[in-house]
Amino acid sequence: MHDERRRIEERVERLHTQRIKPAIYAATVPFEVEAWQAPGEPVSFEEATAARYEPFAMGTPWGPPWGTTWFRMRGEVPAAFAGRRVEAVIDLGFVGDWPGNQAEALVHLPDGRPLKAVNPLNQYVPIANPATGGEQIDYLVEAASNPDILANNFSAPTLLGDVLTAGDKPLYTFLRADIAVLDEEVWHLDLDIQVLLGVMTHLGDHEPRRHEILHALDRAMDTLDLDDVSGSAAAVREVLAPVLAKPAHASAHVVSGVGHAHIDSAWLWPIRETKRKTSRTFSNVTSLADEYDDFIFACSQAQQYEWVRDHYPHVWARIQESVKKGQWAPVGGMWVESDGNLPGGEAIARQLIHGKRFFIEHFGIETKGVWLPDSFGYNAAYPQLAKLAGNEWFLTQKISWNQTNKFPHHTFWWEGIDGTRIFTHFPPVDTYNARFSGEEMDRAVRNYAEKGAGTRSLAPFGWGDGGGGPTREIMERARRLADLEGSPKVVVEHPDEFFAKARAEYEDAPVWNGELYLELHRATYTSQARTKQGNRRSEHKLREAELWATTAALHAPDYTYPYDKLDRLWKTVLLHQFHDILPGSSIAWVHREAEAEYARVAAELEELTAEAVAALGGGAPRVFNTSPYDRAEVVRTAEGALAYVAVPANGSAALAPSAPDRGVTVEGRVLDNGLVRVEVAEDGTLASVFDLRAQREVLADQGNLLRLHTDLPNYWDAWDIDKHYRNRYVDLLEASAVEVVEQDPLRAAIRVQRSFGKGSTLTQTITLRAGSPRIDFETEIDWHEAEKILKAGFPVDIRAPHSSAEIQFGHIQRPTHTNTSWEAARFEVSGHRWVHVGEPGYGVAVINDSTYGHDVTRTVREDGGTTTKVSLSLVRAPRIPDPEADQGMHRFTYSLLPGASIEDAVAEGYALNLPLRVADSAGEPEPVVSADGEGLTVEAVKLADDGSGDVVVRLYESRGGRAQGVLRTGFPLAGAEITDLLERPLEAAHLTDGAVPVALRPFQILTLRLRRG
């Protein structure tokens, strides 16, 4: 046979594109359109209804950046359309084919009910099927003119990312608003051809099936009447029917399709726009559910449900109905799809608590899995936290973006730092926005790493990132691919069903231990430093407010625990942990608002804490310690004097100054407190840090060396830091001033001032206190760089085989060598309050109060010694998507802790992030709880969420070893229960002498519910 593939393929392509697709809508009449430009921010439907509209013609520009234009569309279905399927077709002037980052609209009926949304891939609104003719149509369409921030593939900075800088030039030209007849036979023919072409083009040339489809398509095109596409469509479909009817092979891979619409809670749009995106997408989804009984949609993020409930009650009612019918599946059980690395342990616990409770309360459904397709890596505490919240499975997708190494599994058991395992799936289709294209189905089968053991994978389908969701075309492709030779079998089903089947056939799946590190987007540990600092401060202020509110509730009869306020503030913080807000990868508008929200949260939490402390009664000054560790520290009194005070963990003590064994002396640029001796060089770096206890020099080279690197990644500026950043840098070795600014037996400090780059300035106050080996670097930077990253390096004289970095409820060890490509890819990693490096008998910790990114490298010196260098990433200067990212003032502190064990690092990490509070108080309450036993660390103290008055305590083992001890209470204890994260009882806890004995495995998390006597 002669090879005529090229001729046939080109023929099919032209006829499909130029004749069949244009014939999908058989006849049209235009709407009569009027418009009203809403001033400023979006307005209510009621306000829009009352506005004055002006005539509007197709082809007219509309829509300033971030504006809202309301269109009134009126029309009548012609009598000639009777008996046909009639729809409204609206094209706002869409650009490209991504629904989420451009013009979008929500169509309302005159009574205010949202009907359906329109976007570039979903331009229709049902009118009647069949129409009778004469139907009167009156729509009010809320159109958002959001700018295309992704234009030109992020190749240049844009001012469109903030309403304050975007200007007012119209962005779009309205192209079409018609009443149209959908020719269903032509529409189905279009889909038949789409599916067959997709299957055919991804089969090998040697496959008979490829040639069978090719020649069937050729015969079908012979049947097509170019002068009467509509009239011949049925006959063309009959020619194609036999090749569409051939069943898949018995061994065909099974793809479980789950409807999905990834809606970033903020990213290239502000939070206010996400609220509208949810209404548009969810209107489309519920409309699609009405059309397709076999449709199932999985939706996460309780926050987005709450927005719809509060702002779009009609859409909310439709969601509730879809849930009852089993077509809508709440999943994920988190308040938002948060970042997977940066939120603290208690914050991730609250994500799961608030998310799962929302779905239980509003739908009577307890979600079974964690749904996190798009976060930028996943911490190794997740398996335990997920299981403690009652979850059975975990889903992620983003690991497919790895820059260097291909992740070896798609279905596996993920083991966390404590040993907990959770059944995990990583869809081989490599997208959470699947469309059931031939390319995607081929990729899913080729990628699938479990061949021979497993037979199925999951594919979330529907347009996403900015919403949009599944379309009827995607559902039609799924139906055709249900059992089709040459393709995997597609079944649309609930994700719980997929996970049950996948686990049943592959119970002995391989195990992946430790973090799921994403080999990309490493700069998200550093970008938008003020957003990250706001999160860190908020997490610790929430801990503080809850502890002292609980203390006051136990000891002050007239005090009322602020349940509602704390709940609201937690939800605000959880929202801003979304995986494009906290990582610093959103537009300027998002981060401007985030900083303002964090300031409001801090002020309100400060007020709540002050009220709780005041409720204990006025009197003499006391010092309050929110840390779970006893502390003896220098504090400043209200009068400005310094005092050295010992304060118990989670408790308070009278401000009765005591004296440490030795004070701080200053000689030139040398600070000495009897524990460490610190010498500051003329250039402001550390010339020496000598540990007087161990009689050894800590540094192998200049300490606190500030290094300014050129930082232009290959792509994704705010997200990525590529390895080549290391190749070009300037060390900041010129100081305009190095001077002693504080000299007191309890505290001494040297200030270093620098100017550098494009007008940036940096002031550091190097502080040493009596009684502590910790050296603090209080830092203030006025930052005006572009495409740079500033790091602070500490080269220590330690041969460390690995570094340890704090993560949620524990820490993770990472090798300091680069033996394999996996270790080499971890050239920038995340950690929370501390990083520790050590050799047998000696260690050093670097502690911080607001940064997350760091790197640890090691070299061998000529003398044979090893230098292990810990470098903190302090601030970046990406220009995309926010051209002014990180510009301006930054204030933070980091510290060097010589001679530190892991336990020392844990304690000082808490201490730096939870400063002692001095306030007047007449009460001398016992700490609510105290944990006696090495490694037992209390993470949260609060009253139970059910209002019972029970005290809930969450603690964990923090050293990485077994821990035994007792939890004692500062109140009469009548009983105790071990609970899950949602404070539901798991088993009774035994009491011994009025306390709770505790035995924990390494990094185990334990939640106790304590009943007051």
Side-chain angles (χ1 to χ4, degrees), residues 774-985:
R774 196 181 88 198
I775 307 155
D776 290 346
F777 301 85
E778 299 171 53
T779 305
E780 182 177 283
I781 303 177
D782 189 8
W783 179 251
H784 297 286
E785 304 308 300
E787 296 168 351
K788 298 288 191 294
I789 184 170
L790 182 66
K791 284 183 167 267
F794 291 93
V796 296
D797 189 6
I798 287 177
R799 182 168 176 79
H802 60 258
S803 65
S804 299
E806 186 187 43
I807 64 167
Q808 297 80 352
F809 293 107
H811 59 268
I812 188 169
Q813 294 182 341
R814 301 180 176 106
T816 53
H817 63 74
T818 55
N819 282 359
T820 73
S821 58
W822 293 88
E823 282 109 26
R826 288 178 169 87
F827 59 83
E828 180 82 0
V829 290
S830 66
H832 282 203
R833 291 171 290 212
W834 54 266
V835 181
H836 181 274
V837 292
E839 61 190 21
Y842 196 81
V844 172
V846 178
I847 300 165
N848 73 85
D849 72 355
S850 60
T851 191
Y852 297 86
H854 66 277
D855 69 272
V856 181
T857 57
R858 71 176 189 183
T859 56
V860 177
R861 306 187 299 272
E862 289 186 3
D863 64 4
T866 298
T867 299
T868 302
K869 183 177 181 181
V870 179
S871 296
L872 293 182
S873 300
L874 303 181
V875 64
R876 293 186 73 233
R879 302 177 65 211
I880 299 170
D882 175 6
E884 297 296 316
D886 280 315
Q887 299 299 300
M889 193 63 68
H890 300 268
R891 296 179 179 87
F892 51 84
T893 299
Y894 57 89
S895 308
L896 181 69
L897 186 65
S901 65
I902 291 290
E903 192 165 23
D904 294 331
V906 174
E908 290 300 319
Y910 276 107
L912 182 63
N913 283 269
L914 291 165
L916 295 173
R917 172 183 292 268
V918 179
D920 289 347
S921 177
E924 297 184 8
E926 291 289 316
V928 176
V929 293
S930 57
D932 297 336
E934 292 185 355
L936 295 180
T937 302
V938 174
E939 178 62 17
V941 179
K942 59 189 285 294
L943 290 192
D945 291 338
D946 61 6
S948 63
D950 292 348
V951 175
V952 171
V953 178
R954 193 152 20 254
L955 66 161
Y956 69 106
E957 195 290 313
S958 59
R959 296 182 307 167
R962 294 188 179 274
Q964 284 190 312
V966 294
L967 186 78
R968 305 187 189 280
T969 64
F971 57 90
L973 184 61
E977 291 177 322
I978 298 172
T979 74
D980 66 4
L981 291 185
L982 278 69
E983 301 172 12
R984 301 175 297 193

Side-chain angles (χ1 to χ4, degrees), residues 30 33 56-62 71 73 89-95 123 172-178:
V33 181
F56 185 89
M58 292 299 99
T60 301
W62 71 280
F71 295 98
M73 299 182 184
V89 182
I90 300 169
D91 185 344
L92 300 170
F94 300 118
V95 295
Q123 299 183 17
Y172 301 99
T173 299
F174 208 129
L175 297 180
R176 182 180 189 183
D178 291 334

Side-chain angles (χ1 to χ4, degrees), residues 66-67 412 725 765 820 931 983:
W66 306 113
F412 58 100
Y725 88 90
T765 304
T820 73
E983 301 172 12

Side-chain angles (χ1 to χ4, degrees), residues 572-873:
T572 299
V573 174
L574 298 180
L575 165 60
H576 287 84
Q577 290 175 341
F578 179 75
H579 64 253
D580 273 307
I581 303 178
L582 182 53
S585 48
S586 289
I587 56 173
W589 191 348
V590 172
H591 292 289
R592 172 169 58 82
E593 291 191 331
E595 291 176 33
E597 280 292 279
Y598 284 131
R600 183 187 63 77
V601 167
E604 195 165 348
L605 286 171
E606 182 66 27
E607 182 179 343
L608 288 179
T609 301
E611 288 174 355
V613 170
L616 297 172
R622 289 184 71 80
V623 181
F624 294 81
N625 175 18
T626 311
S627 164
Y629 289 86
D630 297 341
R631 294 159 72 174
E633 285 185 19
V634 176
V635 298
R636 190 176 294 279
T637 68
E639 294 76 25
L642 295 175
Y644 184 79
V645 186
V647 196
N650 303 308
S652 64
L655 184 56
S658 59
D661 294 337
R662 179 179 162 180
V664 187
T665 61
V666 181
E667 185 175 343
R669 296 188 304 275
V670 177
L671 310 179
D672 187 327
N673 67 357
L675 302 173
V676 293
R677 184 171 63 241
V678 181
E679 180 183 349
V680 179
E682 289 185 13
D683 59 15
T685 62
L686 298 185
S688 170
V689 174
F690 192 81
D691 189 332
L692 295 165
R693 301 160 300 173
Q695 287 295 298
R696 64 182 283 173
E697 174 61 44
V698 175
L699 299 176
D701 204 340
Q702 292 167 294
N704 192 38
L705 177 63
L706 297 167
R707 181 164 282 179
L708 186 67
H709 294 262
T710 296
D711 178 25
L712 184 65
N714 293 344
Y715 198 55
W716 300 105
D717 290 26
W719 291 259
D720 286 352
I721 177 171
D722 286 338
K723 205 168 191 175
H724 53 250
Y725 88 90
R726 291 177 170 176
N727 300 337
R728 186 175 179 85
Y729 58 84
V730 174
D731 290 337
L732 305 187
L733 295 175
E734 294 184 9
S736 56
V738 180
E739 56 186 341
V740 176
V741 292
E742 187 171 13
Q743 190 169 349
D744 186 280
L746 292 182
R747 185 167 70 186
I750 294 175
R751 180 176 297 153
V752 179
Q753 294 178 307
R754 305 182 189 277
S755 299
F756 61 93
K758 304 295 184 181
S760 298
T761 61
L762 182 147
T763 300
Q764 286 195 314
T765 304
I766 304 170
T767 304
L768 186 66
R769 296 169 177 81
S772 172
R774 196 181 88 198
I775 307 155
D776 290 346
F777 301 85
E778 299 171 53
T779 305
E780 182 177 283
I781 303 177
D782 189 8
W783 179 251
H784 297 286
E785 304 308 300
E787 296 168 351
K788 298 288 191 294
I789 184 170
L790 182 66
K791 284 183 167 267
F794 291 93
V796 296
D797 189 6
I798 287 177
R799 182 168 176 79
H802 60 258
S803 65
S804 299
E806 186 187 43
I807 64 167
Q808 297 80 352
F809 293 107
H811 59 268
I812 188 169
Q813 294 182 341
R814 301 180 176 106
T816 53
H817 63 74
T818 55
N819 282 359
T820 73
S821 58
W822 293 88
E823 282 109 26
R826 288 178 169 87
F827 59 83
E828 180 82 0
V829 290
S830 66
H832 282 203
R833 291 171 290 212
W834 54 266
V835 181
H836 181 274
V837 292
E839 61 190 21
Y842 196 81
V844 172
V846 178
I847 300 165
N848 73 85
D849 72 355
S850 60
T851 191
Y852 297 86
H854 66 277
D855 69 272
V856 181
T857 57
R858 71 176 189 183
T859 56
V860 177
R861 306 187 299 272
E862 289 186 3
D863 64 4
T866 298
T867 299
T868 302
K869 183 177 181 181
V870 179
S871 296
L872 293 182
S873 300

Side-chain angles (χ1 to χ4, degrees), residues 20-81:
I20 294 171
K21 282 185 174 294
I24 289 174
Y25 284 106
T28 64
V29 294
F31 277 103
E32 178 185 302
V33 181
E34 297 176 309
W36 173 66
Q37 173 68 49
E41 286 297 281
V43 302
S44 67
F45 177 85
E46 290 72 22
E47 185 175 344
T49 302
R52 182 175 178 179
Y53 288 73
E54 301 290 340
F56 185 89
M58 292 299 99
T60 301
W62 71 280
W66 306 113
T68 302
T69 304
W70 287 80
F71 295 98
R72 187 181 297 281
M73 299 182 184
R74 292 190 173 102
E76 179 180 329
V77 177
F81 290 3

Side-chain angles (χ1 to χ4, degrees), residues 325-341:
K325 289 162 56 179
Q327 291 187 276
W328 186 295
V331 294
M334 295 179 71
W335 192 247
V336 296
E337 290 183 14
S338 71
D339 181 81
N341 292 310

